[in-house]
Amino acid sequence: MASSETPPDVYDSLRPVPRQRLYLQLVEKLTDFIEREGLRAGQRLPPERELAASLSVSRASVSQALVALEVQGIVDVRHGDGAVLLHEPLGVQVIATLRSRRSRLPEIIEARYALEVKLAELAALRRTDDDLARIDHALALMAVQVSAGDRGEAGDEAFHSAVTAAGHSGLLADIMGEIAPAILETRIESLSQPGRPEASLDGHLAIADAIRSGDPVEAARAMRVHLDLVSDVALLRGDQDIRTHFDHQS
Amino acid sequence: MASSETPPDVYDSLRPVPRQRLYLQLVEKLTDFIEREGLRAGQRLPPERELAASLSVSRASVSQALVALEVQGIVDVRHGDGAVLLHEPLGVQVIATLRSRRSRLPEIIEARYALEVKLAELAALRRTDDDLARIDHALALMAVQVSAGDRGEAGDEAFHSAVTAAGHSGLLADIMGEIAPAILETRIESLSQPGRPEASLDGHLAIADAIRSGDPVEAARAMRVHLDLVSDVALLRGDQDIRTHFDHQS
DNA sequence: CTGTCCTAGAGGCTAAGCCACCAGTCCTAT
DNA sequence: ATAGGACTGGTGGCTTAGCCTCTAGGACAG
């Protein structure tokens, strides 16, 4: 296929990103335009046809961009009338939001911080011997997998699930269950990095120790440290969102 | 069909739906489909062409719907690969679960700790001027209500909602939205206690200050303190569960 | 002044087509 | 055998062309 040979453009390797979707570029241009023109809420954007012509893209693409802005609540597109600005988009904010939403991984990490740190606390306070047994079992499982060269995501999942159960909070557990499938994706990605399964296992041990000794503060701290590991991965392949973890427990 | 002929209804100014945009209908059908088929994160939606055919719409419309889903972080559309589900749209099933748990006040408090503390952190890091304006507006609203002898739950709700928005985490916001009805109950109960609205307002001011000055650690601490207020109430009338807050930030 | 009608121009949506990309396969050269 | 490159089928990305529907506002009648 003609693709593999270097295209007309000589050094187009300057394109690190697989090229952003057109509608996202257009969203950016539109928000720029709004700012540049100083448009306020209630004012109208130029007609689609006009935008398409001046940006040299098809109407369909402009329309997609408007859908994106509409979903974000920035404009209201009115049939037969035009696209009315609802809120000023606050500059780079919008496009940053859109970009970070394209991959929700950063948000998933944030949710894990919120939920699992709390669950670790609760687990330290409430774990029964039975809970501890489940946690230990998960640790053993992952240890076996890791020493066998496996990524050990099954053990990883079992561990987090055991901690969640040990927290004895039905509501939090339900919420965790809801985002669990999404977490799985980050899990696999994280554990695919060299040396990561071992590091993750260490983190688990620290968390388990804290839970065993009934120390909620330490359990929360250990969980944060553990999640920092995961978030690094996610941010690696995801887009550069604002760092979600900072100097915890200063 | 005879669709557009507006029926006998005289006061059609009530017309909330000037007929929904096609892509919105498709978004609905797609989320239904996801739920019905029990699709989990990582799985793929049918190809655009197939969807277009089976829904009897053009590919362009399907594409718009996918843009909407992508902007919302539900799906990741990968060129040459397909549309991959990132996380299930929080479904009705969860809502049902939550509803049945409505009276589990201690659990609701725990969930609020988990979510809102993190959201306060994020808000301190990410708040825009617009976010701050919303927060201040909520503060003002509650101040007025309280000084008028009202419990001020509307202002309270507005405040927490503004903080949630300022966190700029769609997923966490979604989860908050899910448990919001349950929270309302605790809110009213808490604010019904003498002197409580004033104390709550003070808490809000502290949180707002931290968010304004961009101090995530302080924002989290202030939020914890504030929630401690609420949890006292809940524990009063609920079962005396283990204290969920302890020596934070040791 | 008031109400009706008309129409320009805006978005909504479709159809058909070509291009770019990904992953698996098969085939070749080492 | 096996590593590496080309092929291929399927998927999304985007365009062009065109017709339909809706809204707002002006012209015109009453």
Side-chain angles (χ1 to χ4, degrees):
Chain A
M1 179 169 285
S3 60
S4 49
E5 62 177 7
T6 344
D9 199 343
V10 195
Y11 296 124
D12 80 342
S13 58
L14 299 177
R15 201 189 306 175
V17 188
R19 187 160 123 248
Q20 208 174 23
R21 299 272 301 270
L22 223 207
Y23 82 82
L24 286 175
Q25 301 176 42
L26 295 179
V27 163
E28 198 162 352
K29 296 212 179 190
L30 287 176
T31 55
D32 281 356
F33 174 83
I34 290 167
E35 239 183 55
R36 194 159 8 93
E37 296 292 306
L39 289 192
R40 315 302 299 275
Q43 296 191 281
R44 275 167 181 71
L45 264 53
E48 288 189 0
R49 288 172 175 85
E50 198 174 304
L51 287 172
S54 67
L55 294 170
S56 301
V57 297
S58 72
R59 248 186 91 203
S61 296
V62 172
S63 184
Q64 283 193 323
L66 289 176
V67 165
L69 287 175
E70 194 171 29
V71 169
Q72 294 289 110
I74 309 236
V75 300
D76 182 17
V77 181
R78 300 177 183 168
H79 191 177
D81 190 4
V84 180
L85 198 58
L86 289 182
H87 302 296
E88 286 105 276
L90 299 169
V92 294
Q93 182 68 32
V94 180
I95 186 65
T97 306
L98 281 175
R99 246 197 273 266
S100 79
R101 281 218 178 186
R102 219 183 94 58
S103 166
R104 241 193 183 183
L105 291 184
E107 295 196 349
I108 291 166
I109 302 292
E110 286 159 18
R112 289 191 70 180
Y113 266 97
L115 300 166
E116 297 209 65
V117 169
K118 185 67 188 176
L119 280 166
E121 278 182 18
L122 293 174
L125 292 168
R126 301 176 176 174
R127 91 287 184 290
T128 65
D129 291 345
D130 214 34
D131 292 328
L132 278 182
R134 281 193 61 195
I135 290 173
D136 286 336
H137 181 266
L139 286 174
L141 172 60
M142 186 163 176
V144 170
Q145 291 181 317
V146 167
S147 64
D150 191 276
R151 281 183 307 221
E153 69 253 31
D156 188 82
E157 179 163 19
F159 175 79
H160 286 279
S161 152
V163 171
T164 297
H168 293 280
S169 174
L171 184 50
L172 284 175
D174 283 348
I175 298 174
M176 278 299 292
E178 197 55 35
I179 67 171
I183 289 177
L184 183 60
E185 197 172 311
T186 72
R187 199 189 308 285
I188 292 175
E189 219 147 340
S190 166
L191 294 173
S192 296
Q193 303 208 332
R196 190 50 62 80
E198 293 78 4
S200 185
L201 186 52
D202 285 348
H204 288 183
L205 287 170
I207 296 167
D209 283 347
I211 291 176
R212 191 186 320 279
S213 57
D215 182 345
V217 174
E218 174 56 22
R221 197 198 60 78
M223 181 62 85
R224 282 198 194 90
V225 170
H226 179 58
L227 289 176
D228 279 342
L229 221 69
V230 182
S231 67
D232 279 341
V233 178
L235 291 173
L236 257 184
R237 60 88 71 183
D239 18 26
Q240 41 284 35
D241 200 3
I242 303 166
R243 289 285 285 185
T244 59
H245 65 287
F246 48 90
D247 194 22
H248 301 300
Q249 216 72 354
S250 72
Chain B
M1 63 186 282
S3 58
S4 51
E5 50 126 346
T6 336
D9 197 348
V10 190
Y11 310 97
D12 79 344
S13 59
L14 301 176
R15 180 184 49 178
V17 186
R19 185 158 128 250
Q20 212 172 18
R21 302 269 300 270
L22 223 209
Y23 82 83
L24 286 176
Q25 301 177 40
L26 294 180
V27 162
E28 205 164 329
K29 296 213 177 190
L30 286 176
T31 55
D32 280 356
F33 174 83
I34 289 167
E35 244 184 57
R36 192 161 9 94
E37 296 292 305
L39 289 192
R40 314 307 283 311
Q43 295 192 283
R44 275 166 181 69
L45 264 54
E48 288 188 1
R49 289 172 175 83
E50 201 175 301
L51 288 172
S54 67
L55 294 171
S56 300
V57 297
S58 71
R59 251 186 89 201
S61 297
V62 172
S63 183
Q64 282 192 324
L66 289 176
V67 165
L69 287 175
E70 193 171 27
V71 168
Q72 292 183 300
I74 309 273
V75 112
D76 184 17
V77 182
R78 300 175 183 170
H79 191 174
D81 193 4
V84 181
L85 197 60
L86 286 183
H87 81 83
E88 288 104 287
L90 298 177
V92 284
Q93 158 199 4
V94 195
I95 295 174
T97 310
L98 291 171
R99 207 156 278 159
S100 73
R101 292 184 178 279
R102 183 151 35 176
S103 53
R104 310 285 307 270
L105 290 185
E107 293 197 349
I108 292 163
I109 301 295
E110 286 160 15
R112 290 191 68 181
Y113 265 98
L115 299 166
E116 297 208 64
V117 169
K118 184 68 189 176
L119 280 167
E121 276 182 19
L122 293 175
L125 292 170
R126 303 177 174 174
R127 92 289 185 284
T128 65
D129 291 344
D130 208 38
D131 293 327
L132 278 182
R134 282 194 59 196
I135 289 173
D136 286 336
H137 181 265
L139 286 174
L141 173 61
M142 187 166 174
V144 169
Q145 292 180 317
V146 167
S147 65
D150 191 275
R151 279 182 309 218
E153 69 254 29
D156 188 79
E157 180 164 18
F159 176 78
H160 286 279
S161 151
V163 171
T164 297
H168 292 279
S169 174
L171 185 50
L172 284 175
D174 284 348
I175 298 173
M176 280 300 291
E178 291 297 328
I179 68 172
I183 288 177
L184 183 60
E185 199 173 307
T186 72
R187 197 189 311 283
I188 292 174
E189 217 148 343
S190 167
L191 293 172
S192 296
Q193 304 207 334
R196 187 53 59 80
E198 292 78 5
S200 185
L201 188 51
D202 284 348
H204 287 184
L205 288 171
I207 296 167
D209 282 347
I211 291 176
R212 192 187 320 278
S213 57
D215 182 346
V217 174
E218 173 58 22
R221 196 198 61 76
M223 181 62 86
R224 283 200 194 89
V225 170
H226 179 59
L227 289 175
D228 281 342
L229 222 71
V230 182
S231 68
D232 278 342
V233 180
L235 291 173
L236 261 183
R237 54 92 70 187
D239 32 11
Q240 38 280 58
D241 204 358
I242 303 165
R243 289 285 285 185
T244 59
H245 66 287
F246 46 88
D247 195 20
H248 300 302
Q249 213 73 356
S250 77

